[in-house]
Amino acid sequence: MTVMAVSTSQINEDTKLAREMALMGNYETSGVYYQGVIQQIHKLLMIISEPTRKAKWQLVQQQVAQEYEQMKAITSTLQLFRIDAHVDRPIGQAMRSPAFEESPRNPSPWYSSTPRDPDVWPPPPPRDPDVWPPPTPAEHKASAHVKPIRGPVKKTETVKPNLRSQKTNSQTKKVEPRQANKNDRSRPVKKDEKKEETKEKTDKEKEEIEEEEKDERKFEGSGYDRDLIEMLERDIVQKNPNIHWDDIADLREAKRLLEEAVVLPMWMPDFFKGIRRPWKGVLMVGPPGTGKTMLAKAVATECCTTFFNVSSTTLTSKYRGESEKLVRLLFEMARFYAPSTIFIDEIDSLCSRRGSESEHEASRRVKSELLVQMDGISSNSDDPGKIVMVLAATNFPWDIDEALRRRLEKRIYIPLPNGEGREALLKINLREVKLDPDVDLKDIATRLKGYSGADITNVCRDASMMSMRRKIAGLRPDQIRQLPKEELDLPVTVQDFDEALEKCNKSVSKEDLNKYEKWMQEYGST
Ligand code: ADP
């Protein structure tokens, strides 16, 4: 299997640029860099076999992902201000809500009232969580049809007061007319009536709070270590992954199959019973970077399930010693928060062929536990509200042992994008950047034959960076910070694509593709 060489110095360089861009307020560009770094580390992790080194890089990946999330949260917040600004409110004023009020403890220029050039964005706020906790994306309002996916206990606790205060606000609004009536001197208010009203109000408040509490059930998991539960909730339960079918180019057949295999049983549990019972598990097979993880996230978003995102390497390395227990806890938690999707990435590394030399006793036990738990799912599947679906992904299907393969009943191929898909990918990746009118995306899509979705994202990222790289070459950070946004945000040209294409090679070879096709012919079930 050929995996594109990943250079750690490139990761360093790109991380630096991601941070610099964020500091300059160039969030879009910074985001593209962050995404790239995360992907590069992901690729690197695939080729590192030494456990300590792997664990270190996993930690780095987590940190970078956290930074990226914070940066995205800042962008979302800014977006809210911009919407405010459209309602004829100056940005500065919008920011001067009590939460952002300047204080001696908070002397950040970020929300100072000093007039500034609106096109040169100030640096982001200091990262002191006590001073200005940046909201996580999930704390922003979820889109109307997305049920907020249950998150870690700690987070729920911090969100709760907000919910309550929102409720209280709306109640205050609701009772306004009554208050107006009370103040209306033409109508005397009886004491009893007042009492009755207050009682009614407090009863209603209580009811709503109780309702909320019922709605926000927390997993207690008796018999489990509290630390382990928190670890799982923190690292594995992913709040609203917010990837929709439309964010994924092409892969129509895969989307249809996933909808049928995962989404429909969750929507119509009564229909999917007996002979029509849902599949125990679905395995997505295909070259790296073809959108398997994105598909899993879209499944969780589109059918509003709690999303458990587990990488096998995380299970076996990070939680060494606890892995077996963790698998049990994972499924118990998934049943508690059902309907749930458990996504196991790189499942091959957890389930390499039984009896092979590399198979350690520990990983054999984890694997057995997984099999037991998956069997448990199917025996529970008659309970309509409790559907738990295992969705797994692998780049190495031939390494998966037979017992697991049998439980992953539906096995679907996620191929490299075709011409139409490559063009759609280009459009998705370039939707936020300006294009020179000479750029013909159809032509570029043809030149990208054999590239995976991730490769195409890399090409787009590189191409969209070219003009900026030329602009900042040789400048000092303070000079870079002075550059107005529009000087950096130039349209991407054909030449930019030529240079990017020269730098980025395809990561999947013809032999690899043959291997996948052969495996699918033998074991596929679509
Ligand atoms: P896999 O899980 O198959 O290795 P991912 O789902 O993690 O691949 O995709 C890696 C990156 O490649 C994504 O973050 C996205 O930028 C890009 N990508 C791959 N396939 C697609 C697709 N079909 N549509 C949109 N983006 C894609």
Side-chain angles (χ1 to χ4, degrees):
M1 177 101 194
T2 342
V3 178
M4 200 165 72
V6 188
S7 118
T8 48
S9 60
Q10 182 75 41
I11 294 177
N12 272 341
E13 187 61 23
D14 285 358
T15 312
K16 241 169 42 198
L17 276 167
R19 288 173 178 160
E20 245 166 47
M21 289 297 124
L23 275 171
M24 285 160 57
N26 216 330
Y27 297 108
E28 260 169 35
T29 316
S30 161
V32 178
Y33 267 122
Y34 270 123
Q35 277 177 20
V37 171
I38 293 167
Q39 269 172 35
Q40 287 178 73
I41 302 178
H42 184 70
K43 274 189 189 158
L44 188 67
L45 284 171
M46 278 169 28
I47 51 177
I48 298 179
S49 52
E50 207 266 298
T52 325
R53 190 162 171 243
K54 195 162 197 143
K56 274 186 188 160
W57 274 105
Q58 272 166 343
L59 201 67
V60 175
Q61 190 183 33
Q62 246 178 35
Q63 279 168 353
V64 175
Q66 245 171 28
E67 268 181 38
Y68 177 43
E69 285 305 323
Q70 282 178 342
M71 199 274 299
K72 278 200 296 192
I74 292 169
T75 324
S76 315
T77 313
L78 279 171
Q79 204 61 36
L80 293 179
F81 296 151
R82 291 184 144 196
I83 292 164
D84 262 359
H86 282 298
V87 201
D88 281 346
R89 199 187 316 179
I91 288 179
Q93 200 176 324
M95 283 178 181
R96 293 182 66 80
S97 68
F100 296 95
E101 209 63 74
E102 228 169 306
S103 76
R105 214 182 143 211
N106 251 359
S108 167
W110 175 248
Y111 32 80
S112 89
S113 51
T114 332
R116 56 173 73 249
D117 181 352
D119 284 326
V120 181
W121 288 10
R127 296 240 313 270
D128 177 350
D130 286 326
V131 176
W132 191 78
T136 66
E139 280 160 6
H140 289 291
K141 262 194 184 147
S143 64
H145 65 293
V146 180
K147 175 181 115 186
I149 290 181
R150 289 169 212 285
V153 173
K154 270 189 182 160
K155 290 269 160 60
T156 320
E157 279 166 359
T158 51
V159 168
K160 240 181 180 169
N162 284 345
L163 285 177
R164 281 184 194 165
S165 64
Q166 272 169 18
K167 281 259 162 71
T168 319
N169 283 345
S170 65
Q171 278 163 357
T172 323
K173 267 188 203 145
K174 267 191 241 150
V175 294
E176 252 170 28
R178 277 200 243 158
Q179 278 167 345
N181 257 347
K182 270 188 260 166
N183 294 340
D184 182 352
R185 281 161 200 261
S186 64
R187 180 185 166 275
V189 183
K190 288 181 190 157
K191 236 184 181 176
D192 285 355
E193 209 177 302
K194 231 178 182 176
K195 250 192 202 164
E196 194 61 31
E197 230 171 68
T198 328
K199 188 175 174 294
E200 204 180 282
K201 211 174 99 184
T202 45
D203 283 352
K204 220 173 153 197
E205 243 168 47
K206 255 195 216 158
E207 255 171 46
E208 287 193 23
I209 289 170
E210 269 166 25
E211 196 111 303
E212 252 173 40
E213 269 162 8
K214 242 190 275 162
D215 205 37
E216 292 201 8
R217 286 187 319 138
K218 277 182 218 152
F219 180 78
E220 301 295 345
S222 57
Y224 287 99
D225 195 339
R226 189 75 231 153
D227 284 351
L228 198 63
I229 296 177
E230 278 180 13
M231 194 157 72
L232 198 139
E233 285 181 322
R234 189 181 56 236
D235 296 352
I236 290 172
V237 181
Q238 193 174 358
K239 289 186 281 171
N240 187 8
N242 205 14
I243 299 278
H244 296 270
W245 292 132
D246 291 347
D247 297 322
I248 305 174
D250 198 22
L251 302 180
R252 247 170 275 152
E253 186 57 13
K255 289 177 193 167
R256 189 193 65 73
L257 279 164
L258 284 172
E259 219 156 30
E260 189 189 290
V262 188
V263 185
L264 294 185
M266 289 190 180
W267 284 348
M268 310 187 283
D270 290 334
F271 178 84
F272 285 87
K273 276 182 172 170
I275 188 72
R276 300 191 195 108
R277 70 184 179 280
W279 309 101
K280 275 182 207 173
V282 177
L283 176 66
M284 294 183 282
V285 172
T290 43
K292 297 184 285 299
T293 308
M294 285 188 90
L295 282 167
K297 289 184 175 173
V299 165
T301 309
E302 296 285 352
C303 63
C304 307
T305 60
T306 315
F307 188 53
F308 293 79
N309 192 351
V310 205
S311 131
S312 306
T313 32
T314 312
L315 266 187
T316 47
S317 59
K318 191 164 175 194
Y319 304 103
R320 199 164 282 238
E322 302 269 31
S323 303
E324 229 178 309
K325 220 196 281 175
L326 198 68
V327 173
R328 248 191 327 268
L329 175 60
L330 175 70
F331 279 77
E332 198 170 305
M333 210 184 248
R335 276 192 293 273
F336 180 84
Y337 287 129
S340 306
T341 313
I342 299 180
F343 174 58
I344 309 180
D345 203 4
E346 305 167 18
I347 195 154
D348 48 276
S349 64
L350 188 65
C351 301
S352 54
R353 253 189 303 271
R354 280 175 171 220
S356 68
E357 269 179 48
S358 60
E359 191 184 60
H360 300 143
E361 176 59 20
S363 82
R364 196 192 61 74
R365 286 206 312 265
V366 171
K367 190 175 15 177
S368 303
E369 187 60 50
L370 184 64
L371 299 180
V372 169
Q373 291 299 332
M374 284 186 74
D375 287 342
I377 288 181
S378 54
S379 57
N380 264 348
S381 62
D382 274 352
D383 186 349
K386 291 274 171 198
I387 291 183
V388 174
M389 175 64 66
V390 172
L391 197 50
T394 180
N395 304 334
F396 307 98
W398 36 85
D399 283 344
I400 293 179
D401 76 18
E402 195 202 321
L404 188 79
R405 199 174 57 228
R406 259 192 285 118
R407 281 159 180 90
L408 295 164
E409 298 158 303
K410 199 92 184 145
R411 298 179 283 268
I412 59 180
Y413 185 45
I414 312 296
L416 287 182
N418 58 18
E420 208 181 301
R422 293 194 297 272
E423 196 180 333
L425 263 156
L426 286 171
K427 282 184 187 149
I428 289 179
N429 280 306
L430 298 166
R431 60 187 162 195
E432 283 166 7
V433 296
K434 286 181 246 157
L435 283 182
D436 187 273
D438 286 345
V439 173
D440 176 3
L441 292 184
K442 233 187 189 59
D443 175 55
I444 294 169
T446 315
R447 292 167 66 191
L448 287 168
K449 189 165 190 290
Y451 280 65
S452 71
D455 297 339
I456 294 174
T457 304
N458 280 346
V459 170
C460 292
R461 199 175 72 235
D462 243 51
S464 62
M465 294 291 162
M466 290 294 178
S467 60
M468 182 274 302
R469 280 192 189 131
R470 277 180 226 123
K471 266 262 165 335
I472 66 168
L475 296 184
R476 292 190 312 272
D478 59 313
Q479 291 172 315
I480 295 176
R481 252 173 257 140
Q482 297 303 320
L483 286 174
K485 204 176 159 225
E486 65 270 19
E487 268 193 41
L488 292 171
D489 198 11
L490 298 175
V492 185
T493 64
V494 179
Q495 189 207 339
D496 294 336
F497 276 107
D498 289 343
E499 283 179 33
L501 266 158
E502 224 163 85
K503 273 181 70 182
C504 308
N505 297 316
K506 49 183 111 164
S507 57
V508 188
S509 73
K510 190 94 193 95
E511 300 85 76
D512 294 333
L513 291 178
N514 292 340
K515 240 173 137 180
Y516 288 116
E517 270 152 35
K518 203 162 150 252
W519 191 88
M520 281 307 288
Q521 268 169 17
E522 204 167 336
Y523 302 110
S525 107
T526 51

